[in-house]
Coordinates of all heavy atoms in Angstrom, one line a residue:
G1 N -98.2 121.1 -38.5 CA -99.2 122.0 -38.2 C -98.9 122.7 -36.9 O -97.8 122.6 -36.3
S2 N -99.9 123.5 -36.4 CA -99.7 124.4 -35.2 C -100.9 124.2 -34.3 O -102.1 123.9 -34.8 CB -99.6 125.8 -35.6 OG -98.5 126.1 -36.4
L3 N -100.7 124.4 -33.0 CA -101.7 124.5 -32.0 C -101.3 125.5 -31.0 O -100.2 125.8 -30.8 CB -101.9 123.2 -31.3 CG -102.8 122.1 -32.0 CD1 -102.7 120.8 -31.1 CD2 -104.2 122.5 -32.2
R4 N -102.4 126.1 -30.4 CA -102.1 127.1 -29.3 C -102.8 126.7 -28.1 O -104.0 126.5 -28.0 CB -102.6 128.5 -29.8 CG -102.3 129.6 -28.8 CD -102.9 130.9 -29.4 NE -102.6 132.1 -28.5 CZ -101.6 132.8 -28.6 NH1 -100.6 132.5 -29.5 NH2 -101.4 133.9 -27.8
L5 N -102.0 126.4 -27.0 CA -102.6 126.0 -25.7 C -102.7 127.3 -24.8 O -101.9 128.1 -24.9 CB -101.7 125.0 -25.0 CG -101.4 123.7 -25.8 CD1 -100.5 122.8 -24.9 CD2 -102.6 123.0 -26.3
S6 N -103.8 127.3 -24.1 CA -104.0 128.3 -23.1 C -104.1 127.8 -21.7 O -104.6 126.7 -21.5 CB -105.2 129.1 -23.5 OG -105.1 129.8 -24.7
C7 N -103.7 128.6 -20.7 CA -103.9 128.2 -19.3 C -104.4 129.4 -18.6 O -103.9 130.5 -18.6 CB -102.5 127.8 -18.7 SG -102.6 127.5 -16.9
A8 N -105.6 129.3 -18.0 CA -106.3 130.3 -17.3 C -106.0 130.1 -15.8 O -106.3 129.0 -15.3 CB -107.8 130.3 -17.6
A9 N -105.5 131.1 -15.1 CA -105.2 131.0 -13.7 C -106.2 131.9 -12.9 O -106.6 133.0 -13.3 CB -103.8 131.5 -13.4
S10 N -106.6 131.3 -11.8 CA -107.5 132.1 -10.9 C -107.1 131.8 -9.4 O -106.5 130.8 -9.1 CB -109.0 131.7 -11.1 OG -109.2 130.3 -10.8
G11 N -107.5 132.8 -8.5 CA -107.1 132.6 -7.1 C -106.6 133.9 -6.6 O -106.7 135.0 -7.2
P12 N -105.9 133.9 -5.4 CA -105.4 135.1 -4.8 C -104.3 135.8 -5.7 O -103.6 135.0 -6.4 CB -104.9 134.6 -3.5 CG -104.6 133.2 -3.7 CD -105.7 132.7 -4.6
P13 N -104.2 137.1 -5.6 CA -103.2 137.7 -6.4 C -101.8 137.3 -5.9 O -101.6 137.1 -4.7 CB -103.5 139.2 -6.2 CG -104.3 139.3 -4.9 CD -105.1 138.0 -4.9
R14 N -100.9 137.3 -6.9 CA -99.5 136.9 -6.6 C -98.6 137.9 -7.2 O -98.9 138.6 -8.2 CB -99.2 135.5 -7.1 CG -100.1 134.4 -6.5 CD -99.9 133.1 -7.1 NE -100.2 133.0 -8.5 CZ -99.8 132.1 -9.3 NH1 -98.9 131.2 -8.9 NH2 -100.1 132.0 -10.6
S15 N -97.3 137.9 -6.8 CA -96.4 138.9 -7.3 C -95.1 138.3 -7.9 O -94.6 138.8 -8.8 CB -96.0 140.0 -6.3 OG -95.5 139.3 -5.1
N16 N -94.6 137.3 -7.3 CA -93.3 136.7 -7.7 C -93.5 135.1 -7.9 O -93.6 134.4 -6.8 CB -92.2 137.0 -6.8 CG -92.0 138.5 -6.6 OD1 -91.6 139.2 -7.6 ND2 -92.3 139.0 -5.4
Y17 N -93.5 134.7 -9.1 CA -93.7 133.2 -9.3 C -93.4 132.9 -10.7 O -92.9 133.8 -11.5 CB -95.2 132.9 -9.0 CG -96.2 133.7 -9.9 CD1 -96.7 133.2 -11.0 CD2 -96.5 135.0 -9.5 CE1 -97.6 133.9 -11.8 CE2 -97.4 135.7 -10.3 CZ -97.9 135.2 -11.4 OH -98.8 135.9 -12.2
A18 N -93.5 131.7 -11.1 CA -93.3 131.2 -12.5 C -94.4 130.3 -12.8 O -95.1 129.7 -12.0 CB -92.0 130.5 -12.6
M19 N -94.6 130.2 -14.1 CA -95.6 129.2 -14.7 C -94.9 128.4 -15.8 O -94.0 129.0 -16.4 CB -96.9 129.9 -15.2 CG -97.7 130.5 -14.1 SD -99.2 131.3 -14.7 CE -100.2 129.9 -15.1
G20 N -95.3 127.2 -15.9 CA -94.7 126.4 -16.9 C -95.6 125.4 -17.6 O -96.7 125.2 -17.2
W21 N -95.1 124.8 -18.7 CA -95.8 123.7 -19.4 C -95.0 122.5 -19.3 O -93.7 122.5 -19.5 CB -96.0 124.1 -20.8 CG -97.0 125.1 -21.1 CD1 -96.8 126.4 -21.3 CD2 -98.4 125.0 -21.1 NE1 -98.0 127.1 -21.4 CE2 -99.0 126.2 -21.4 CE3 -99.3 123.9 -21.0 CZ2 -100.4 126.5 -21.5 CZ3 -100.7 124.1 -21.1 CH2 -101.2 125.4 -21.4
F22 N -95.6 121.4 -18.9 CA -95.0 120.1 -18.9 C -95.8 119.1 -19.8 O -97.0 119.5 -20.1 CB -94.9 119.5 -17.5 CG -94.0 120.2 -16.6 CD1 -94.3 121.5 -16.0 CD2 -92.7 119.7 -16.3 CE1 -93.4 122.2 -15.2 CE2 -91.8 120.4 -15.5 CZ -92.2 121.6 -14.9
R23 N -95.3 118.0 -20.1 CA -96.1 117.1 -20.9 C -95.7 115.6 -20.5 O -94.6 115.4 -20.1 CB -95.9 117.3 -22.4 CG -94.4 117.0 -22.9 CD -94.3 117.4 -24.4 NE -93.0 117.1 -24.9 CZ -92.6 117.5 -26.1 NH1 -93.4 118.1 -26.9 NH2 -91.3 117.1 -26.5
R24 N -96.7 114.8 -20.8 CA -96.4 113.3 -20.5 C -97.0 112.5 -21.7 O -98.2 112.6 -21.9 CB -97.1 112.9 -19.2 CG -96.7 111.4 -18.8 CD -97.6 110.9 -17.7 NE -97.5 111.7 -16.5 CZ -96.6 111.4 -15.5 NH1 -95.7 110.5 -15.7 NH2 -96.5 112.2 -14.4
A25 N -96.0 111.9 -22.3 CA -96.4 111.0 -23.5 C -96.7 109.6 -23.0 O -96.2 109.2 -21.9 CB -95.3 111.0 -24.5
P26 N -97.5 108.8 -23.7 CA -97.8 107.5 -23.2 C -96.6 106.7 -23.0 O -95.7 106.6 -23.8 CB -98.6 106.9 -24.4 CG -99.2 108.1 -25.1 CD -98.2 109.2 -24.9
G27 N -96.5 106.1 -21.8 CA -95.4 105.2 -21.4 C -94.1 106.0 -21.1 O -93.1 105.3 -20.9
K28 N -94.2 107.3 -21.0 CA -93.0 108.0 -20.7 C -93.2 108.9 -19.4 O -94.3 109.1 -19.0 CB -92.6 108.9 -21.8 CG -92.2 108.2 -23.1 CD -91.7 109.1 -24.2 CE -91.2 108.4 -25.4 NZ -90.7 109.3 -26.4
E29 N -92.1 109.4 -18.9 CA -92.2 110.2 -17.7 C -92.6 111.7 -18.1 O -92.4 112.1 -19.2 CB -90.8 110.2 -17.0 CG -90.5 108.9 -16.4 CD -89.2 109.0 -15.5 OE1 -88.6 110.1 -15.5 OE2 -88.9 108.0 -14.9
R30 N -93.0 112.4 -17.1 CA -93.4 113.8 -17.3 C -92.1 114.6 -17.8 O -91.0 114.3 -17.2 CB -93.9 114.4 -16.0 CG -94.4 115.8 -16.1 CD -95.1 116.2 -14.9 NE -94.3 115.9 -13.7 CZ -94.8 116.0 -12.4 NH1 -96.0 116.4 -12.2 NH2 -94.0 115.6 -11.4
E31 N -92.3 115.5 -18.7 CA -91.2 116.2 -19.3 C -91.4 117.7 -19.3 O -92.5 118.1 -19.6 CB -91.0 115.7 -20.8 CG -90.0 116.4 -21.6 CD -90.0 116.0 -23.1 OE1 -91.1 115.6 -23.5 OE2 -89.0 116.1 -23.7
F32 N -90.4 118.4 -19.0 CA -90.5 119.9 -19.0 C -90.6 120.4 -20.4 O -89.9 119.8 -21.3 CB -89.3 120.5 -18.3 CG -89.1 122.0 -18.5 CD1 -89.9 122.9 -17.8 CD2 -88.2 122.4 -19.4 CE1 -89.7 124.2 -18.0 CE2 -88.0 123.8 -19.7 CZ -88.8 124.7 -19.0
V33 N -91.4 121.4 -20.7 CA -91.5 122.0 -22.0 C -91.0 123.4 -22.0 O -90.1 123.8 -22.8 CB -93.0 121.9 -22.5 CG1 -93.1 122.6 -23.9 CG2 -93.5 120.5 -22.6
A34 N -91.6 124.3 -21.2 CA -91.2 125.7 -21.2 C -91.7 126.4 -19.9 O -92.6 125.9 -19.3 CB -91.8 126.4 -22.4
D35 N -91.0 127.5 -19.5 CA -91.5 128.2 -18.4 C -91.3 129.7 -18.6 O -90.6 130.2 -19.5 CB -90.8 127.8 -17.1 CG -89.3 128.1 -17.1 OD1 -89.0 129.3 -17.1 OD2 -88.5 127.2 -17.0
I36 N -92.1 130.5 -17.8 CA -92.0 131.9 -17.9 C -92.2 132.5 -16.5 O -93.0 131.9 -15.7 CB -93.1 132.5 -18.8 CG1 -93.0 134.0 -19.0 CG2 -94.5 132.1 -18.4 CD1 -93.9 134.6 -20.1
S37 N -91.4 133.5 -16.1 CA -91.5 134.0 -14.7 C -92.2 135.4 -14.7 O -92.2 136.1 -15.7 CB -90.1 134.1 -14.2 OG -89.3 135.0 -15.0
W38 N -92.7 135.7 -13.5 CA -93.4 136.9 -13.2 C -92.8 137.6 -12.0 O -92.5 136.9 -11.0 CB -94.9 136.7 -12.9 CG -95.8 136.7 -14.1 CD1 -96.5 137.8 -14.5 CD2 -96.2 135.6 -14.9 NE1 -97.3 137.4 -15.6 CE2 -97.1 136.1 -15.8 CE3 -95.8 134.3 -14.9 CZ2 -97.7 135.2 -16.8 CZ3 -96.4 133.4 -15.8 CH2 -97.3 133.9 -16.8
S39 N -92.5 138.9 -12.1 CA -92.1 139.7 -11.0 C -92.4 141.2 -11.2 O -92.3 141.6 -12.4 CB -90.6 139.5 -10.8 OG -90.1 140.2 -9.7
G40 N -92.7 141.9 -10.2 CA -93.0 143.3 -10.4 C -94.1 143.6 -11.3 O -94.1 144.7 -12.0
G41 N -95.1 142.7 -11.4 CA -96.2 143.0 -12.3 C -96.1 142.7 -13.7 O -96.9 143.2 -14.5
R42 N -95.0 142.1 -14.1 CA -94.8 141.8 -15.5 C -94.0 140.5 -15.7 O -93.4 140.0 -14.8 CB -94.1 143.0 -16.2 CG -92.7 143.2 -15.8 CD -92.1 144.3 -16.6 NE -90.6 144.6 -16.3 CZ -89.6 144.0 -16.9 NH1 -89.9 143.1 -17.9 NH2 -88.4 144.2 -16.5
T43 N -94.1 140.0 -16.9 CA -93.3 138.8 -17.2 C -91.8 139.1 -17.4 O -91.5 140.2 -17.8 CB -93.9 138.1 -18.5 OG1 -93.8 139.0 -19.6 CG2 -95.3 137.7 -18.3
H44 N -91.0 138.1 -17.2 CA -89.6 138.2 -17.3 C -89.0 137.1 -18.2 O -89.4 137.0 -19.3 CB -88.9 138.3 -15.9 CG -89.2 139.6 -15.2 ND1 -88.3 140.6 -15.3 CD2 -90.2 139.9 -14.4 CE1 -88.8 141.6 -14.5 NE2 -90.0 141.2 -14.0
D45 N -88.2 136.3 -17.6 CA -87.4 135.3 -18.4 C -88.4 134.2 -18.9 O -89.3 133.8 -18.3 CB -86.4 134.6 -17.5 CG -85.3 135.7 -17.0 OD1 -85.2 136.7 -17.7 OD2 -84.7 135.4 -16.0

């Protein structure tokens, strides 16, 4: 099946940064899932 996760961000405006998703399964360490970068007012890699 499928699910769609959302992340709402609030706070001071920013211009160059990245956001990502991580996950932690029971008994396991935190694991990287995916990331996306922002620069110049739009998303990049």
Side-chain angles (χ1 to χ4, degrees):
S2 298
L3 279 176
R4 185 179 180 90
L5 303 184
S6 296
C7 176
S10 62
R14 302 177 292 162
S15 57
N16 301 296
Y17 58 98
M19 294 181 71
W21 290 97
F22 291 78
R23 66 187 182 187
R24 187 191 297 274
K28 295 187 177 181
E29 293 187 355
R30 182 173 50 189
E31 176 188 25
F32 167 78
V33 176
D35 67 64
I36 184 169
S37 59
W38 270 265
S39 180
R42 67 179 184 88
T43 60
H44 287 266
D45 298 335

